[in-house]
Amino acid sequence: MVKTTDPVRSARLPQRGSGGGAADRVKGFLSLLAVLAIVGGVPYVLLTFFGKPWPDRMPTRDVLFSELSIETVLGIIGFFIWLAWLHFVICLAAEVVAEIRGHGLSPRIPLGGGSQTLARRLVSGVVLIAGAASVTLPVANAVTTSGVAPTSISVTQGGDDQASTYRQTEARSKVVIGGHTGVRTNNDQAGQVVKFTEVRPPEGRNYDCLWDIAERYLGEGRRYKEIYDLNKNKLQPDGRRLTNPDLIMPGWQVRLPADAKGPGVHTVRVAIDTPARPVVQQQDEKPSPDTKDTKAKVAGKPTAKTTTQSEAGPGSRWFEEQGVEKPSSIDIGSAAADPTAKDAKPNEPGVEVTQPHGPGTTDARPGDPAAGGTKVPDVVATSSGGISATEAGIYGFGATLLAAGLAVALKRRRGWALGPGPKSASHRQTEVNLRLAADVPTAQFVDNSLRQLGVSMTEANRTMPVVVAALVTDRALTLVLEPGENQAPPPAPWQAIADGRRWVLRRAYAPAADVAAPSPYPTLVTLGRNADGSTVLVDLDTARGVVSFGGVTNASRDVVGSLAAELATNLWSEGAHVSMVGFGDDLSSLAPARLSYWTRLDEALQEVTRRTDNQVQACTRRNAESVAAARMSYPDPMLWGAEIIFVSAPPSLEEEQQLARLAADPKRCVAVVVVGDVLDAPWRFVVDEKNQAVCRLLGLEVDAHSINPAQFADLVELFRTAEAEAMDKRRTEQDMPAYEFSSTDLSQAAPVEVDLLGPVEVDARGPIDEGRIQLATEIVAFLASQDYGVHPNVLAGSIWPRGISDELRNAALEHTRQWVGLDAMYADESGRWMLNRSIVRVDWDVFRTLAKQAEMMDDPRQPLSTALSLVHGQAWSGLPAGRYSWLAASGIERRMAESVVDASLKLAEASLRHNDGALARTALQTGLSFAPASEELWRATLRLASHFGTTEDVTTIAAQMYAALAKHGGPRGAEAETDALVDELLPGYRRPAAVA
């Protein structure tokens, strides 16, 4: 899926294996002899056998027409050998000059190729003698540079045979200062202080090494062995591991003993969780004897001066290191340990800290207030429940919000049809998995909560706080503020905890309806799930610079790809635009209005700069200090939309500086994410083979979600098919149900009523535990969608797609049968389960029966009016997370939409024939309440308003239509026919820009 389109440029020095000092000296002397032989020996041989490279006398015209002699041919050959030698000497000189000046990369010599590579290797060999250096720079991958392919160590994702030789399982850790997840360690002492530092870049010919680090922070260079033992085989941001004490790289994050102190030491206090599975500890190899008293240096990326960690750039602002190190001032971790995530009520004067819930705890607690203000009853445990949030994460842990954004985008792509059509048959499993993973209610909770917070802060004339991360559980949303934020208490019902560093909103107090306001944090994106089961999101814009994802390259690309997909489809990133640079596949079909594909970074930068120049000008006109402030005061999602750039490999130095300037400008909303390690990045994540993402600076460790190339390919095809089906307006024939409906008299209540023409509702009077209602409702809805009954194995595969035992399946069916009545739900002689339609009244059955009757009548108004009266909202809305995945294969969503739209249009036409404009308007409004993206209904509503109303009425309808299409319609905006009708009815009407 992902690849760098342009070839990468090699580092100045090639990688090499570990070896002793004697071997290095031998290689160095051999390299020196080779340089002398080429520089001095080759000219001696050429002069001896070929003579001087220039002729003894000026050639005449006759030379061009005379016969070539042996001497002439040898002279021509010698001339070209002289040219090749001179070219090599130039390459060698360039490498030598770069080494003397301390530059990590030499200038690229035209047609250098293998000559410059050979010269680089020879110079690196000589450096082994001169500086006792034994390692090289990391490979400097650049998107827009070219040259020979680098010599590198490749790690295959999921390759157990290779990884087992050096990988060991580390115990998961969490920060105990406030109970938050922190730096990952392999220490087995709970509550120990973990310290680390970053390997410094070189200053001239002086390179950092383990001996220097031990001398600097431990006061004794010979303690370098302790540092080596703590860091052996640990994955580093550049994807390598420390396997030799002589081989360390600038920018590596090195664990230090507990007594380390001094500027540059980062401190996090952690508590270690006991792993759930056995941990295989490998025997550490002892360092070679000749490294005991040797100060092994490393070559690295040069800078103008040596900088300590406290001077390293934007990322250093999280720490206060003045001689004596202090703990990290930011703590991103678990929301489960927050007091308000469980027991506390908003605005309570005191909060009592209780024990955190364990991972995977999703049940409601007795006494928790529900959204409607009623007391949640005691939950009765059931073994026949649906899919848990952890099991649903087919794109990785914590991917429920990612899948929710994709599911909503897919629904919008289908537009009026709502559900899959016949062309989607080959992609049904992909959609089933997507629906299983999606948690749309939680995504709506996060979206509306953030928007409502923005409204409350704006009304109070307050600026929004800078948010580093957000933690989402089934009980609360927690915002982790940037250290140093001096904010007053948040508006109710939000609550401040942890000395005001966190703002918490309990889910029971979230907005009950959609909030029409700007989203204050459009670059907030899900990383994954932490050890306590909280979904962790980070705000990329807060980094104010490049965010790099290093470690295992393939795993990092999969994680970064999932971030791009979420930002292009989630609910709160409206107006945002994602630019993917250098990735192998064009994914823009997932969100054409919000995602674009580029092969070159410079071209993407030009476009992003052009768009954000408008933000700078708008901030200047409005005297706004930042886009974040202007976004709330002057709502305009297109103007203030975030620009997020994803780059498939580390850029060149010049491009990196340009990206950093754009991201740091507060009057531009630009975030940058790079696959691969960037030494100067404020946030540097390390992703390992298990998709664990660690950012030591933030004290953050999560099981990251990801989308691999095969999943991306399936998603792209699913979205393309959905768009093709949305353009197909053909209707399927609606046949009479296979059963005979006894009565359409709606004045009498039925023993059991099932409503599908809107949010799913089941009215049954039998006993059932509260904890089983959701599952039982889904079973009844599934049977109601089946005209001929269904085999129990098919039912189990639909309700429990991940499998269930026959005993649990039968128990769940029996509980449901007791609820609706023994006569209302039964299995026939062949074992097929079905509903007794003479007892159970399904509104979808009544609707189809009335629609069929209307076709046989000259005046169909009465049956169609009765049929449309059954519609009570948008169908299949508000479904619980992890359920109803069978809708992807049933096709009932599309059939319902077709029937309701057709019935609305037919009733409107029949009403107009009888000059009944009020009934026609009611019919169209009912259809739009069910299918708000149906442009056929909107066009009919526009014509009706033009016929019976005024120009103001038509303008109001047009505004409502474009707003509905922006929220529910496809990403490409209204159809051409719709725009043409608006131009005809309202000449000069200014249509709002579509926001995907």
Side-chain angles (χ1 to χ4, degrees), residues 48-330:
T48 302
F49 293 97
F50 295 93
K52 299 185 294 293
W54 54 84
D56 295 330
R57 62 180 182 275
M58 289 294 295
T60 62
R61 181 181 179 186
D62 296 334
V63 174
L64 299 175
F65 302 94
S66 62
E67 183 178 355
L68 294 177
S69 62
I70 296 299
E71 291 78 10
T72 305
V73 174
L74 292 176
I76 294 174
I77 294 175
F79 174 79
F80 283 103
I81 295 177
W82 275 106
L83 285 181
W85 172 84
L86 180 61
H87 183 268
F88 178 83
V89 171
I90 295 174
C91 294
L92 188 65
E95 297 296 328
V96 171
V97 171
E99 178 60 31
I100 293 175
R101 293 181 177 178
H103 290 299
L105 291 176
S106 61
R108 179 168 174 256
I109 305 301
L111 303 177
S115 297
Q116 193 166 3
T117 302
L118 178 59
R120 184 179 302 124
R121 292 181 177 178
L122 292 176
V123 171
S124 67
V126 175
V127 168
L128 293 178
I129 304 175
S134 59
V135 294
T136 66
L137 272 175
V139 176
N141 294 333
V143 173
T144 57
T145 58
S146 61
V148 294
T151 303
S152 62
I153 300 174
S154 61
V155 179
T156 303
Q157 185 178 0
D160 294 334
D161 293 339
Q162 180 182 3
S164 62
T165 61
Y166 58 79
R167 187 176 66 199
Q168 70 181 37
T169 303
E170 301 175 358
R172 182 173 297 165
S173 64
K174 57 185 179 182
V175 176
V176 298
I177 302 177
H180 311 297
T181 298
V183 177
R184 180 181 52 180
T185 73
N186 67 337
N187 193 285
D188 58 358
Q189 299 180 12
Q192 182 181 358
V193 173
V194 172
K195 299 181 178 182
F196 71 95
T197 188
E198 290 192 2
V199 179
R200 291 178 176 179
E203 182 179 10
R205 301 184 63 83
N206 297 321
Y207 302 102
D208 211 359
C209 64
L210 292 183
W211 181 288
D212 288 344
I213 293 174
E215 196 172 57
R216 187 161 60 243
Y217 300 126
L218 302 176
E220 177 55 65
R222 284 176 292 185
R223 294 183 62 185
Y224 75 93
K225 291 185 179 181
E226 299 177 34
I227 302 177
Y228 173 70
D229 291 338
L230 286 173
N231 294 276
K232 185 179 180 182
N233 289 335
K234 296 298 182 292
L235 184 67
Q236 295 294 334
D238 62 356
R240 307 183 192 185
R241 297 176 187 266
L242 179 58
T243 58
N244 188 300
D246 293 344
L247 304 177
I248 62 174
M249 302 290 182
W252 277 15
Q253 296 172 332
V254 179
R255 173 91 179 274
L256 299 174
D259 59 336
K261 60 180 62 178
V265 176
H266 305 324
T267 306
V268 182
R269 185 173 176 85
V270 300
I272 309 302
D273 292 340
T274 303
R277 55 184 180 276
V279 179
V280 179
Q281 298 291 348
Q282 298 182 352
Q283 296 296 326
D284 291 346
E285 299 178 2
K286 300 298 181 182
S288 55
D290 58 345
T291 62
K292 181 175 182 181
D293 299 315
T294 302
K295 298 176 69 174
K297 304 295 183 178
V298 297
K301 183 177 178 180
T303 56
K305 66 173 184 176
T306 300
T307 59
T308 64
Q309 183 64 31
S310 59
E311 300 169 342
S316 62
R317 67 180 178 270
W318 310 113
F319 299 95
E320 299 176 4
E321 297 162 350
Q322 305 294 333
V324 178
E325 71 284 354
K326 296 182 179 181
S328 172
S329 57
I330 188 168

Side-chain angles (χ1 to χ4, degrees), residues 397 525-529 536-538 549 563 685 700 702-705:
F397 293 99
V525 64
T526 311
L527 267 184
R529 194 180 299 274
V536 181
L537 300 87
V538 295
F549 282 79
L563 301 183
F685 287 87
L700 177 65
V702 297
D703 291 315
H705 63 58

Side-chain angles (χ1 to χ4, degrees), residues 695-755:
C695 182
R696 291 179 173 87
L697 185 67
L698 299 180
L700 177 65
E701 175 188 7
V702 297
D703 291 315
H705 63 58
S706 64
I707 303 182
N708 60 42
Q711 291 171 330
F712 259 129
D714 292 341
L715 286 172
V716 168
E717 289 303 316
L718 177 63
F719 273 70
R720 287 175 178 171
T721 303
E723 186 165 20
E725 288 184 332
M727 303 301 294
D728 187 1
K729 297 301 180 65
R730 292 176 297 176
R731 303 286 195 264
T732 58
E733 291 294 330
Q734 297 295 322
D735 298 325
M736 283 290 292
Y739 52 85
E740 294 183 0
F741 193 76
S742 59
S743 173
T744 58
D745 183 9
L746 301 179
S747 61
Q748 300 295 325
V752 180
E753 297 186 2
V754 180
D755 295 338

Side-chain angles (χ1 to χ4, degrees), residues 249-500:
M249 302 290 182
W252 277 15
Q253 296 172 332
V254 179
R255 173 91 179 274
L256 299 174
D259 59 336
K261 60 180 62 178
V265 176
H266 305 324
T267 306
V268 182
R269 185 173 176 85
V270 300
I272 309 302
D273 292 340
T274 303
R277 55 184 180 276
V279 179
V280 179
Q281 298 291 348
Q282 298 182 352
Q283 296 296 326
D284 291 346
E285 299 178 2
K286 300 298 181 182
S288 55
D290 58 345
T291 62
K292 181 175 182 181
D293 299 315
T294 302
K295 298 176 69 174
K297 304 295 183 178
V298 297
K301 183 177 178 180
T303 56
K305 66 173 184 176
T306 300
T307 59
T308 64
Q309 183 64 31
S310 59
E311 300 169 342
S316 62
R317 67 180 178 270
W318 310 113
F319 299 95
E320 299 176 4
E321 297 162 350
Q322 305 294 333
V324 178
E325 71 284 354
K326 296 182 179 181
S328 172
S329 57
I330 188 168
D331 41 13
I332 301 174
S334 168
D338 289 342
T340 54
K342 177 184 174 184
D343 298 279
K345 306 294 188 299
N347 300 324
E348 277 190 352
V351 176
E352 180 183 357
V353 180
T354 59
Q355 292 297 323
H357 305 308
T361 304
T362 58
D363 59 309
R365 296 301 176 92
D368 280 355
T374 59
K375 180 179 180 297
V376 176
D378 295 350
V379 177
V380 179
T382 173
S383 58
S384 57
I387 304 299
S388 70
T390 302
E391 292 172 333
I394 62 170
Y395 301 120
F397 293 99
T400 53
L401 298 182
L402 161 67
L406 289 169
V408 172
L410 179 63
K411 185 176 182 180
R412 292 186 55 186
R413 187 63 52 88
R414 291 193 171 115
W416 67 273
L418 297 181
K423 295 180 181 179
S424 299
S426 59
H427 307 293
R428 283 177 180 170
Q429 189 56 46
T430 301
E431 186 170 352
V432 167
N433 292 338
L434 185 63
R435 290 182 185 240
L436 280 174
D439 189 352
V440 176
T442 297
Q444 294 171 338
F445 159 59
V446 173
D447 179 37
N448 291 323
S449 299
L450 294 176
R451 294 177 190 269
Q452 185 60 52
L453 176 62
V455 171
S456 300
M457 295 289 285
T458 302
E459 291 177 350
N461 197 24
R462 295 175 55 186
T463 59
M464 294 295 295
V466 179
V467 170
V468 177
L471 306 170
V472 182
T473 67
D474 58 334
R475 305 179 193 285
L477 167 65
T478 303
L479 300 182
V480 182
L481 308 189
E482 184 182 38
E485 278 282 301
N486 297 320
Q487 285 279 350
W494 287 80
Q495 185 177 7
I497 63 172
D499 297 328

Side-chain angles (χ1 to χ4, degrees), residues 891-913:
I892 190 173
E893 292 171 300
R894 187 181 181 94
R895 293 196 301 272
M896 281 185 173
E898 291 173 347
S899 299
V900 172
V901 170
D902 284 343
S904 300
L905 292 173
K906 289 178 181 178
L907 179 57
E909 292 173 358
S911 301
L912 290 178
R913 287 197 300 268

